[in-house]
Amino acid sequence: MPFRDIATETIVARAGRVERKAVEDIKNEVDGPTRGRSSNRVLLAELAEQHFVISPSGDPSSCLLSTIRPKNVSGREVIAEEGGTKVLVELLDSADNDGFLEEVVLAVANLAFNNDNRVSMAADGCIKSLIKLLSSENKNVAKDASQALANLAYNDEINERITREGGVSVLMGLLQVDDPAAEEAARAIANLARNTSSKEVIVNHGGIDALIKLLPDTNVNCKRNAALALANIASGNDENKVSIASAGGIKKLIPLLTEGNEASKKNAAPALANLADKNMENQAAISAFGGIAEVWS
């Protein structure tokens, strides 16, 4: 990329929903000839005024994008076809400061809610880059990379690619109590566990024990994502049901039926339901630990 300007690249990173012209203008500015700093600021101000709403305290020329929101919400769907995702994927490996890298990774995570963008970014090589960023010393980057992989994993083919390229083992290293990235790593594991092949790899890497240890975590998002992951791991797999119960999963899931936020409760219930499905021992254990009473309370 011949031209690098942090303000311009931040525009790209936050342009999760933009019009076609905005994407082209951004791409041209990043890939085009070198300009003076003042010229860049003028162009960026014009882009901000044309395509974003600036809060009264915002300065368009400074591109403080935390004060900017999109004027139009339809742009996310056109990012892939306009080539914006390719720019972002390239920036995953070329960002030269942590603050900017956080913006880029978060933008990739947000764009990955759209399946066309998932396919485009995966084709451009984002999986390998994101897995590498899981090991970043900057925990915000690691957390956002986990979130991006979690969103990418909704696509079955990409789900398997993440697992084949070693994503599970690195994500497992983030499943530690008090690790800021743990909640999104658990969510990524939960989404990967929707796939039978990925589920097997997760279990073989000690996923069951690691997820159960997160259930008493004070972070409610860790609780809910760990519960969801266990629900998916138990789904349709008799051996995993036994393993989760033997590791103390039932006893630690039941308190979530009444503790934490609504998502924690909603994820704990299907986890227990999957554990009980066609398993009389688990059904008895759920009853013995008061699970039935909690469900009906």
Side-chain angles (χ1 to χ4, degrees):
M1 189 176 298
F3 172 69
R4 295 289 310 284
D5 180 89
I6 293 302
T8 304
E9 292 176 349
T10 303
I11 277 279
V12 176
R14 282 293 181 88
R17 296 175 178 175
V18 294
E19 292 291 326
R20 293 172 185 266
K21 183 178 184 301
V23 177
E24 284 303 313
D25 287 344
I26 291 164
K27 286 170 56 185
N28 290 339
E29 177 63 4
V30 172
D31 292 332
T34 301
R35 295 170 177 253
R37 181 71 179 182
S38 59
S39 298
N40 293 332
R41 292 175 64 84
V42 171
L43 175 63
L44 293 170
E46 292 174 354
L47 285 174
E49 289 170 351
Q50 290 170 10
H51 302 288
F52 297 93
V53 176
I54 313 296
S55 72
S57 61
D59 171 12
S61 68
S62 69
C63 294
L64 296 175
L65 295 182
S66 59
T67 68
I68 298 176
R69 59 185 176 84
K71 283 183 178 178
N72 187 295
V73 298
S74 65
R76 184 177 291 181
E77 287 73 15
V78 305
I79 295 293
E81 65 183 79
E82 294 296 324
T85 55
K86 183 176 178 63
V87 174
L88 284 168
V89 172
E90 291 174 353
L91 292 174
L92 288 174
D93 295 320
S94 62
D96 53 9
N97 73 75
D98 280 356
F100 171 54
L101 182 58
E102 289 178 27
E103 302 287 359
V104 173
V105 181
L106 184 58
V108 170
N110 289 338
L111 289 170
F113 278 110
N114 175 274
N115 193 58
D116 287 343
N117 291 339
R118 292 177 196 134
V119 173
S120 176
M121 291 189 293
D124 289 332
C126 76
I127 295 174
K128 181 178 180 180
S129 298
L130 289 168
I131 291 173
K132 180 180 179 180
L133 291 173
L134 293 175
S135 301
S136 172
E137 294 182 1
N138 183 331
K139 286 300 182 180
N140 290 328
V141 169
K143 180 178 180 179
D144 292 341
S146 299
Q147 180 184 174
L149 290 169
N151 295 342
L152 288 166
Y154 284 118
N155 178 294
D156 288 338
E157 182 178 344
I158 296 173
N159 184 311
E160 293 186 0
R161 282 191 57 191
I162 293 170
T163 299
R164 287 198 306 269
E165 294 186 28
V168 168
S169 60
V170 187
L171 285 165
M172 290 296 302
L174 299 176
L175 296 184
Q176 306 293 329
V177 175
D178 297 329
D179 190 319
E183 64 180 79
E184 288 297 339
R187 179 169 166 264
I189 292 293
N191 288 348
L192 288 168
R194 291 153 48 99
N195 178 279
T196 301
S197 298
S198 296
K199 181 188 305 188
E200 182 179 355
V201 175
I202 291 166
V203 172
N204 290 340
H205 278 80
I208 290 175
D209 287 337
L211 291 164
I212 290 173
K213 288 179 181 178
L214 291 180
L215 294 176
D217 198 297
T218 55
N219 183 326
V220 293
N221 290 325
C222 279
K223 293 175 185 285
R224 72 173 188 176
N225 293 334
L228 178 61
L230 290 169
N232 290 342
I233 289 172
S235 178
N237 190 300
D238 293 338
E239 185 176 345
N240 289 346
K241 295 174 190 176
V242 173
S243 297
I244 293 170
S246 298
I250 292 175
K251 185 176 181 179
K252 291 184 178 179
L253 279 165
I254 289 174
L256 269 63
L257 295 172
T258 55
E259 298 175 359
N261 57 19
E262 288 302 311
S264 298
K265 300 171 186 177
K266 291 178 180 178
N267 289 346
L272 290 166
N274 288 346
L275 288 167
D277 184 40
K278 300 178 182 178
N279 187 307
M280 295 185 64
E281 290 185 4
N282 286 354
Q283 293 170 17
I286 292 169
S287 177
F289 287 122
I292 295 177
E294 296 290 7
V295 170
W296 289 103
S297 62

